[in-house]
Amino acid sequence: MLSREQLLEKVWGYDYYGEARVVDVHIGHVRQKLGEDFITTVRGAGYRFDDEVPA
């Protein structure tokens, strides 16, 4: 699981000064491409990639 802050740091770097909500927008785009079942939002914590999706 990764928090918004961890994703911002790893993707955009330490010196990113934009909004943290940009992560949510990009997660939405990834969900559109992969499907809704692969990325789970962990409320209050971040996001989790599920490599096994139930059938």
Side-chain angles (χ1 to χ4, degrees), residues 2 5-6 15 19 21 23 27 29 31 45:
L2 294 170
E5 291 78 21
Q6 288 172 316
D15 56 348
E19 294 287 324
R21 302 297 292 190
V23 173
I27 291 291
H29 292 152
R31 281 182 172 145

Side-chain angles (χ1 to χ4, degrees), residues 25-46:
V25 172
H26 286 285
I27 291 291
H29 292 152
V30 173
R31 281 182 172 145
Q32 286 176 348
K33 291 183 185 280
L34 293 180
E36 295 288 324
D37 297 329
F38 287 101
I39 298 175
T40 303
T41 301
V42 180
R43 188 176 174 127

